Amino acid sequence: MAMMLSSDPSFSAVELLDASDWFNLLSEAGRAAVRESVREVPVAAGEALSHQGDLPHAWCGVLEGLIKLSSVNAEGRAVTFAALAPGGWYGEATMLREAPFAVDALALRPSRVLMLPAHVFFALLEAEFSFSRYTMRLLSERLHWFMGHCHANRASDTHARVVRAVVGLFQPAASLAGFTELRISQEEVANIAGVSRQSCNSALKQLCDAKVLDIDYGTMRLLDATRLSKLVSG
């Protein structure tokens, strides 16, 4: 169920669940179990919702703010894998692996996150075929995305990294479809892409000149989703 979002989207728990495709695939009993078990957690700007090495306890959906998933490699270099705007869900792969988180989940601005406990997540996988199938498709999309992300990082192509960061914000796996505006600063985009602010601004200017994006007063507007996606896949 797609929803048009404002440039500063914010959800209540009920709104996020009702707008999430996976939730609407569940049986009535499954939806009731989710509603009864979810809890909202606030995260201050700069704080971590979870750290590398923490054991996962929930599947997480972003209600408000901006969450960055990143890690530090053996050489001490920070690598950002994704950023999730309101409507994005994450953490399913780590729970399925029954392993600690390999990334930090950091709030780039004051955020609110909805948490679905692990035992409810696993109960849905066992009892709801539609949810199991959705999760498999989601994992496939994540794998495809991260393979491309890895290639862009290895190639040290700053323009490609910025483009992927923008695509990920508007069309991340497991996120709500349909919104074309997002309140975000160029500094935040640079942080997500893992490039300098100067390089980020240059790449964003190229996207604006190509009429793919429009950026004005801290608001990014998506003008041509098809062309933006082709820049990533091409």
PDB file of all heavy atoms in Angstrom, residues 9-39:
ATOM      1  N   PRO A   9       8.736  13.370   6.244  1.00  0.00           N
ATOM      2  CA  PRO A   9       7.774  12.352   6.621  1.00  0.00           C
ATOM      3  C   PRO A   9       7.950  11.886   8.058  1.00  0.00           C
ATOM      4  O   PRO A   9       9.045  11.807   8.586  1.00  0.00           O
ATOM      5  CB  PRO A   9       8.060  11.217   5.633  1.00  0.00           C
ATOM      6  CG  PRO A   9       9.477  11.429   5.228  1.00  0.00           C
ATOM      7  CD  PRO A   9       9.678  12.908   5.226  1.00  0.00           C
ATOM      8  N   SER A  10       6.821  11.587   8.682  1.00  0.00           N
ATOM      9  CA  SER A  10       6.821  11.076  10.042  1.00  0.00           C
ATOM     10  C   SER A  10       5.577  10.211  10.197  1.00  0.00           C
ATOM     11  O   SER A  10       4.490  10.580   9.745  1.00  0.00           O
ATOM     12  CB  SER A  10       6.801  12.236  11.040  1.00  0.00           C
ATOM     13  OG  SER A  10       6.670  11.754  12.363  1.00  0.00           O
ATOM     14  N   PHE A  11       5.737   9.052  10.820  1.00  0.00           N
ATOM     15  CA  PHE A  11       4.641   8.122  10.983  1.00  0.00           C
ATOM     16  C   PHE A  11       4.359   7.838  12.445  1.00  0.00           C
ATOM     17  O   PHE A  11       5.271   7.874  13.280  1.00  0.00           O
ATOM     18  CB  PHE A  11       4.972   6.765  10.329  1.00  0.00           C
ATOM     19  CG  PHE A  11       5.158   6.801   8.852  1.00  0.00           C
ATOM     20  CD1 PHE A  11       6.425   6.838   8.307  1.00  0.00           C
ATOM     21  CD2 PHE A  11       4.073   6.785   7.995  1.00  0.00           C
ATOM     22  CE1 PHE A  11       6.621   6.858   6.944  1.00  0.00           C
ATOM     23  CE2 PHE A  11       4.248   6.807   6.628  1.00  0.00           C
ATOM     24  CZ  PHE A  11       5.519   6.840   6.100  1.00  0.00           C
ATOM     25  N   SER A  12       3.129   7.507  12.740  1.00  0.00           N
ATOM     26  CA  SER A  12       2.818   6.820  13.983  1.00  0.00           C
ATOM     27  C   SER A  12       3.014   5.332  13.708  1.00  0.00           C
ATOM     28  O   SER A  12       3.146   4.914  12.552  1.00  0.00           O
ATOM     29  CB  SER A  12       1.370   7.101  14.400  1.00  0.00           C
ATOM     30  OG  SER A  12       0.475   6.469  13.479  1.00  0.00           O
ATOM     31  N   ALA A  13       3.017   4.524  14.757  1.00  0.00           N
ATOM     32  CA  ALA A  13       3.181   3.082  14.567  1.00  0.00           C
ATOM     33  C   ALA A  13       2.069   2.525  13.690  1.00  0.00           C
ATOM     34  O   ALA A  13       2.316   1.722  12.780  1.00  0.00           O
ATOM     35  CB  ALA A  13       3.203   2.377  15.919  1.00  0.00           C
ATOM     36  N   VAL A  14       0.851   2.948  13.931  1.00  0.00           N
ATOM     37  CA  VAL A  14      -0.291   2.459  13.156  1.00  0.00           C
ATOM     38  C   VAL A  14      -0.152   2.852  11.692  1.00  0.00           C
ATOM     39  O   VAL A  14      -0.396   2.039  10.783  1.00  0.00           O
ATOM     40  CB  VAL A  14      -1.614   3.004  13.745  1.00  0.00           C
ATOM     41  CG1 VAL A  14      -2.792   2.684  12.822  1.00  0.00           C
ATOM     42  CG2 VAL A  14      -1.863   2.426  15.126  1.00  0.00           C
ATOM     43  N   GLU A  15       0.252   4.091  11.434  1.00  0.00           N
ATOM     44  CA  GLU A  15       0.397   4.563  10.059  1.00  0.00           C
ATOM     45  C   GLU A  15       1.466   3.784   9.303  1.00  0.00           C
ATOM     46  O   GLU A  15       1.271   3.418   8.139  1.00  0.00           O
ATOM     47  CB  GLU A  15       0.730   6.048  10.053  1.00  0.00           C
ATOM     48  CG  GLU A  15      -0.421   6.954  10.446  1.00  0.00           C
ATOM     49  CD  GLU A  15       0.007   8.397  10.655  1.00  0.00           C
ATOM     50  OE1 GLU A  15       1.216   8.633  10.883  1.00  0.00           O
ATOM     51  OE2 GLU A  15      -0.867   9.283  10.598  1.00  0.00           O
ATOM     52  N   LEU A  16       2.595   3.545   9.950  1.00  0.00           N
ATOM     53  CA  LEU A  16       3.662   2.811   9.277  1.00  0.00           C
ATOM     54  C   LEU A  16       3.233   1.387   8.959  1.00  0.00           C
ATOM     55  O   LEU A  16       3.466   0.887   7.846  1.00  0.00           O
ATOM     56  CB  LEU A  16       4.933   2.787  10.135  1.00  0.00           C
ATOM     57  CG  LEU A  16       6.109   1.994   9.553  1.00  0.00           C
ATOM     58  CD1 LEU A  16       6.504   2.530   8.181  1.00  0.00           C
ATOM     59  CD2 LEU A  16       7.303   2.007  10.496  1.00  0.00           C
ATOM     60  N   LEU A  17       2.611   0.715   9.912  1.00  0.00           N
ATOM     61  CA  LEU A  17       2.172  -0.656   9.661  1.00  0.00           C
ATOM     62  C   LEU A  17       1.141  -0.700   8.537  1.00  0.00           C
ATOM     63  O   LEU A  17       1.245  -1.525   7.620  1.00  0.00           O
ATOM     64  CB  LEU A  17       1.584  -1.261  10.942  1.00  0.00           C
ATOM     65  CG  LEU A  17       2.579  -1.525  12.075  1.00  0.00           C
ATOM     66  CD1 LEU A  17       1.837  -2.020  13.311  1.00  0.00           C
ATOM     67  CD2 LEU A  17       3.644  -2.525  11.658  1.00  0.00           C
ATOM     68  N   ASP A  18       0.167   0.183   8.597  1.00  0.00           N
ATOM     69  CA  ASP A  18      -0.888   0.178   7.577  1.00  0.00           C
ATOM     70  C   ASP A  18      -0.349   0.496   6.187  1.00  0.00           C
ATOM     71  O   ASP A  18      -0.925   0.087   5.181  1.00  0.00           O
ATOM     72  CB  ASP A  18      -1.986   1.181   7.941  1.00  0.00           C
ATOM     73  CG  ASP A  18      -2.864   0.698   9.085  1.00  0.00           C
ATOM     74  OD1 ASP A  18      -2.792  -0.508   9.428  1.00  0.00           O
ATOM     75  OD2 ASP A  18      -3.605   1.524   9.658  1.00  0.00           O
ATOM     76  N   ALA A  19       0.774   1.229   6.114  1.00  0.00           N
ATOM     77  CA  ALA A  19       1.345   1.607   4.818  1.00  0.00           C
ATOM     78  C   ALA A  19       2.380   0.605   4.321  1.00  0.00           C
ATOM     79  O   ALA A  19       2.876   0.744   3.201  1.00  0.00           O
ATOM     80  CB  ALA A  19       1.977   2.989   4.920  1.00  0.00           C
ATOM     81  N   SER A  20       2.721  -0.401   5.121  1.00  0.00           N
ATOM     82  CA  SER A  20       3.765  -1.369   4.762  1.00  0.00           C
ATOM     83  C   SER A  20       3.150  -2.573   4.048  1.00  0.00           C
ATOM     84  O   SER A  20       2.228  -3.204   4.570  1.00  0.00           O
ATOM     85  CB  SER A  20       4.513  -1.839   6.019  1.00  0.00           C
ATOM     86  OG  SER A  20       5.181  -0.766   6.635  1.00  0.00           O
ATOM     87  N   ASP A  21       3.681  -2.894   2.864  1.00  0.00           N
ATOM     88  CA  ASP A  21       3.130  -3.985   2.067  1.00  0.00           C
ATOM     89  C   ASP A  21       3.103  -5.307   2.840  1.00  0.00           C
ATOM     90  O   ASP A  21       2.122  -6.051   2.768  1.00  0.00           O
ATOM     91  CB  ASP A  21       3.941  -4.161   0.780  1.00  0.00           C
ATOM     92  CG  ASP A  21       3.696  -3.042  -0.212  1.00  0.00           C
ATOM     93  OD1 ASP A  21       2.690  -2.317  -0.061  1.00  0.00           O
ATOM     94  OD2 ASP A  21       4.514  -2.878  -1.137  1.00  0.00           O
ATOM     95  N   TRP A  22       4.184  -5.623   3.543  1.00  0.00           N
ATOM     96  CA  TRP A  22       4.260  -6.910   4.232  1.00  0.00           C
ATOM     97  C   TRP A  22       3.160  -7.057   5.275  1.00  0.00           C
ATOM     98  O   TRP A  22       2.621  -8.145   5.459  1.00  0.00           O
ATOM     99  CB  TRP A  22       5.635  -7.099   4.877  1.00  0.00           C
ATOM    100  CG  TRP A  22       5.950  -6.128   5.984  1.00  0.00           C
ATOM    101  CD1 TRP A  22       6.619  -4.945   5.871  1.00  0.00           C
ATOM    102  CD2 TRP A  22       5.590  -6.260   7.360  1.00  0.00           C
ATOM    103  NE1 TRP A  22       6.698  -4.327   7.097  1.00  0.00           N
ATOM    104  CE2 TRP A  22       6.087  -5.114   8.025  1.00  0.00           C
ATOM    105  CE3 TRP A  22       4.907  -7.238   8.095  1.00  0.00           C
ATOM    106  CZ2 TRP A  22       5.911  -4.913   9.388  1.00  0.00           C
ATOM    107  CZ3 TRP A  22       4.732  -7.036   9.456  1.00  0.00           C
ATOM    108  CH2 TRP A  22       5.234  -5.887  10.097  1.00  0.00           C
ATOM    109  N   PHE A  23       2.815  -5.952   5.935  1.00  0.00           N
ATOM    110  CA  PHE A  23       1.794  -6.004   6.992  1.00  0.00           C
ATOM    111  C   PHE A  23       0.432  -6.335   6.400  1.00  0.00           C
ATOM    112  O   PHE A  23      -0.354  -7.102   6.978  1.00  0.00           O
ATOM    113  CB  PHE A  23       1.750  -4.670   7.729  1.00  0.00           C
ATOM    114  CG  PHE A  23       0.781  -4.635   8.876  1.00  0.00           C
ATOM    115  CD1 PHE A  23       1.078  -5.266  10.076  1.00  0.00           C
ATOM    116  CD2 PHE A  23      -0.431  -3.960   8.763  1.00  0.00           C
ATOM    117  CE1 PHE A  23       0.186  -5.244  11.145  1.00  0.00           C
ATOM    118  CE2 PHE A  23      -1.326  -3.925   9.817  1.00  0.00           C
ATOM    119  CZ  PHE A  23      -1.020  -4.565  11.019  1.00  0.00           C
ATOM    120  N   ASN A  24       0.156  -5.784   5.231  1.00  0.00           N
ATOM    121  CA  ASN A  24      -1.147  -6.004   4.595  1.00  0.00           C
ATOM    122  C   ASN A  24      -1.277  -7.381   3.958  1.00  0.00           C
ATOM    123  O   ASN A  24      -2.360  -7.783   3.558  1.00  0.00           O
ATOM    124  CB  ASN A  24      -1.400  -4.904   3.564  1.00  0.00           C
ATOM    125  CG  ASN A  24      -1.612  -3.556   4.218  1.00  0.00           C
ATOM    126  OD1 ASN A  24      -2.656  -3.280   4.781  1.00  0.00           O
ATOM    127  ND2 ASN A  24      -0.592  -2.698   4.158  1.00  0.00           N
ATOM    128  N   LEU A  25      -0.159  -8.119   3.881  1.00  0.00           N
ATOM    129  CA  LEU A  25      -0.211  -9.501   3.393  1.00  0.00           C
ATOM    130  C   LEU A  25      -0.574 -10.492   4.502  1.00  0.00           C
ATOM    131  O   LEU A  25      -0.914 -11.641   4.217  1.00  0.00           O
ATOM    132  CB  LEU A  25       1.156  -9.898   2.811  1.00  0.00           C
ATOM    133  CG  LEU A  25       1.609  -9.156   1.554  1.00  0.00           C
ATOM    134  CD1 LEU A  25       3.057  -9.533   1.224  1.00  0.00           C
ATOM    135  CD2 LEU A  25       0.690  -9.466   0.381  1.00  0.00           C
ATOM    136  N   LEU A  26      -0.505 -10.058   5.754  1.00  0.00           N
ATOM    137  CA  LEU A  26      -0.725 -10.957   6.881  1.00  0.00           C
ATOM    138  C   LEU A  26      -2.198 -11.278   7.091  1.00  0.00           C
ATOM    139  O   LEU A  26      -3.089 -10.524   6.685  1.00  0.00           O
ATOM    140  CB  LEU A  26      -0.169 -10.330   8.171  1.00  0.00           C
ATOM    141  CG  LEU A  26       1.307  -9.979   8.199  1.00  0.00           C
ATOM    142  CD1 LEU A  26       1.661  -9.341   9.543  1.00  0.00           C
ATOM    143  CD2 LEU A  26       2.166 -11.218   7.950  1.00  0.00           C
ATOM    144  N   SER A  27      -2.435 -12.396   7.753  1.00  0.00           N
ATOM    145  CA  SER A  27      -3.793 -12.722   8.194  1.00  0.00           C
ATOM    146  C   SER A  27      -4.212 -11.744   9.281  1.00  0.00           C
ATOM    147  O   SER A  27      -3.384 -11.012   9.843  1.00  0.00           O
ATOM    148  CB  SER A  27      -3.831 -14.144   8.744  1.00  0.00           C
ATOM    149  OG  SER A  27      -3.041 -14.225   9.920  1.00  0.00           O
ATOM    150  N   GLU A  28      -5.481 -11.756   9.609  1.00  0.00           N
ATOM    151  CA  GLU A  28      -5.964 -10.867  10.670  1.00  0.00           C
ATOM    152  C   GLU A  28      -5.275 -11.176  11.996  1.00  0.00           C
ATOM    153  O   GLU A  28      -4.908 -10.264  12.750  1.00  0.00           O
ATOM    154  CB  GLU A  28      -7.482 -11.010  10.822  1.00  0.00           C
ATOM    155  CG  GLU A  28      -8.099 -10.001  11.773  1.00  0.00           C
ATOM    156  CD  GLU A  28      -9.622 -10.024  11.752  1.00  0.00           C
ATOM    157  OE1 GLU A  28     -10.197 -10.457  10.739  1.00  0.00           O
ATOM    158  OE2 GLU A  28     -10.224  -9.602  12.756  1.00  0.00           O
ATOM    159  N   ALA A  29      -5.067 -12.465  12.264  1.00  0.00           N
ATOM    160  CA  ALA A  29      -4.382 -12.859  13.499  1.00  0.00           C
ATOM    161  C   ALA A  29      -2.936 -12.387  13.496  1.00  0.00           C
ATOM    162  O   ALA A  29      -2.410 -11.941  14.528  1.00  0.00           O
ATOM    163  CB  ALA A  29      -4.435 -14.371  13.670  1.00  0.00           C
ATOM    164  N   GLY A  30      -2.296 -12.464  12.340  1.00  0.00           N
ATOM    165  CA  GLY A  30      -0.918 -12.010  12.234  1.00  0.00           C
ATOM    166  C   GLY A  30      -0.808 -10.514  12.453  1.00  0.00           C
ATOM    167  O   GLY A  30       0.107 -10.043  13.153  1.00  0.00           O
ATOM    168  N   ARG A  31      -1.715  -9.743  11.863  1.00  0.00           N
ATOM    169  CA  ARG A  31      -1.693  -8.291  12.053  1.00  0.00           C
ATOM    170  C   ARG A  31      -1.935  -7.926  13.511  1.00  0.00           C
ATOM    171  O   ARG A  31      -1.293  -7.016  14.054  1.00  0.00           O
ATOM    172  CB  ARG A  31      -2.733  -7.624  11.150  1.00  0.00           C
ATOM    173  CG  ARG A  31      -2.401  -7.703   9.662  1.00  0.00           C
ATOM    174  CD  ARG A  31      -3.252  -6.750   8.837  1.00  0.00           C
ATOM    175  NE  ARG A  31      -4.662  -7.067   8.909  1.00  0.00           N
ATOM    176  CZ  ARG A  31      -5.284  -7.905   8.086  1.00  0.00           C
ATOM    177  NH1 ARG A  31      -4.594  -8.504   7.114  1.00  0.00           N
ATOM    178  NH2 ARG A  31      -6.574  -8.143   8.199  1.00  0.00           N
ATOM    179  N   ALA A  32      -2.837  -8.656  14.152  1.00  0.00           N
ATOM    180  CA  ALA A  32      -3.115  -8.387  15.571  1.00  0.00           C
ATOM    181  C   ALA A  32      -1.879  -8.658  16.432  1.00  0.00           C
ATOM    182  O   ALA A  32      -1.556  -7.889  17.343  1.00  0.00           O
ATOM    183  CB  ALA A  32      -4.285  -9.239  16.043  1.00  0.00           C
ATOM    184  N   ALA A  33      -1.158  -9.746  16.125  1.00  0.00           N
ATOM    185  CA  ALA A  33       0.048 -10.087  16.886  1.00  0.00           C
ATOM    186  C   ALA A  33       1.110  -9.003  16.733  1.00  0.00           C
ATOM    187  O   ALA A  33       1.810  -8.663  17.699  1.00  0.00           O
ATOM    188  CB  ALA A  33       0.596 -11.431  16.420  1.00  0.00           C
ATOM    189  N   VAL A  34       1.229  -8.450  15.526  1.00  0.00           N
ATOM    190  CA  VAL A  34       2.201  -7.391  15.287  1.00  0.00           C
ATOM    191  C   VAL A  34       1.817  -6.133  16.056  1.00  0.00           C
ATOM    192  O   VAL A  34       2.646  -5.528  16.752  1.00  0.00           O
ATOM    193  CB  VAL A  34       2.316  -7.090  13.780  1.00  0.00           C
ATOM    194  CG1 VAL A  34       3.146  -5.829  13.542  1.00  0.00           C
ATOM    195  CG2 VAL A  34       2.934  -8.273  13.045  1.00  0.00           C
ATOM    196  N   ARG A  35       0.564  -5.721  15.944  1.00  0.00           N
ATOM    197  CA  ARG A  35       0.109  -4.500  16.624  1.00  0.00           C
ATOM    198  C   ARG A  35       0.346  -4.581  18.128  1.00  0.00           C
ATOM    199  O   ARG A  35       0.709  -3.589  18.767  1.00  0.00           O
ATOM    200  CB  ARG A  35      -1.376  -4.261  16.357  1.00  0.00           C
ATOM    201  CG  ARG A  35      -1.714  -3.864  14.927  1.00  0.00           C
ATOM    202  CD  ARG A  35      -3.145  -3.367  14.848  1.00  0.00           C
ATOM    203  NE  ARG A  35      -3.596  -3.201  13.472  1.00  0.00           N
ATOM    204  CZ  ARG A  35      -4.349  -4.083  12.826  1.00  0.00           C
ATOM    205  NH1 ARG A  35      -4.724  -5.208  13.430  1.00  0.00           N
ATOM    206  NH2 ARG A  35      -4.713  -3.854  11.588  1.00  0.00           N
ATOM    207  N   GLU A  36       0.128  -5.754  18.695  1.00  0.00           N
ATOM    208  CA  GLU A  36       0.242  -5.909  20.147  1.00  0.00           C
ATOM    209  C   GLU A  36       1.695  -5.938  20.628  1.00  0.00           C
ATOM    210  O   GLU A  36       1.959  -5.668  21.799  1.00  0.00           O
ATOM    211  CB  GLU A  36      -0.458  -7.197  20.582  1.00  0.00           C
ATOM    212  CG  GLU A  36      -1.973  -7.158  20.423  1.00  0.00           C
ATOM    213  CD  GLU A  36      -2.615  -8.527  20.634  1.00  0.00           C
ATOM    214  OE1 GLU A  36      -1.866  -9.480  20.969  1.00  0.00           O
ATOM    215  OE2 GLU A  36      -3.835  -8.641  20.454  1.00  0.00           O
ATOM    216  N   SER A  37       2.623  -6.250  19.747  1.00  0.00           N
ATOM    217  CA  SER A  37       4.000  -6.481  20.194  1.00  0.00           C
ATOM    218  C   SER A  37       4.985  -5.372  19.842  1.00  0.00           C
ATOM    219  O   SER A  37       6.059  -5.280  20.447  1.00  0.00           O
ATOM    220  CB  SER A  37       4.516  -7.804  19.616  1.00  0.00           C
ATOM    221  OG  SER A  37       4.551  -7.748  18.199  1.00  0.00           O
ATOM    222  N   VAL A  38       4.672  -4.525  18.860  1.00  0.00           N
ATOM    223  CA  VAL A  38       5.632  -3.501  18.450  1.00  0.00           C
ATOM    224  C   VAL A  38       5.799  -2.445  19.538  1.00  0.00           C
ATOM    225  O   VAL A  38       4.895  -2.172  20.319  1.00  0.00           O
ATOM    226  CB  VAL A  38       5.217  -2.814  17.124  1.00  0.00           C
ATOM    227  CG1 VAL A  38       5.330  -3.767  15.953  1.00  0.00           C
ATOM    228  CG2 VAL A  38       3.819  -2.229  17.231  1.00  0.00           C
ATOM    229  N   ARG A  39       6.999  -1.867  19.567  1.00  0.00           N
ATOM    230  CA  ARG A  39       7.252  -0.763  20.494  1.00  0.00           C
ATOM    231  C   ARG A  39       8.093   0.294  19.791  1.00  0.00           C
ATOM    232  O   ARG A  39       8.893  -0.010  18.902  1.00  0.00           O
ATOM    233  CB  ARG A  39       7.959  -1.245  21.757  1.00  0.00           C
ATOM    234  CG  ARG A  39       9.350  -1.820  21.546  1.00  0.00           C
ATOM    235  CD  ARG A  39       9.906  -2.402  22.839  1.00  0.00           C
ATOM    236  NE  ARG A  39      11.232  -2.977  22.638  1.00  0.00           N
ATOM    237  CZ  ARG A  39      12.364  -2.317  22.847  1.00  0.00           C
ATOM    238  NH1 ARG A  39      12.317  -1.061  23.267  1.00  0.00           N
ATOM    239  NH2 ARG A  39      13.539  -2.898  22.659  1.00  0.00           N
TER     240      ARG A  39
END
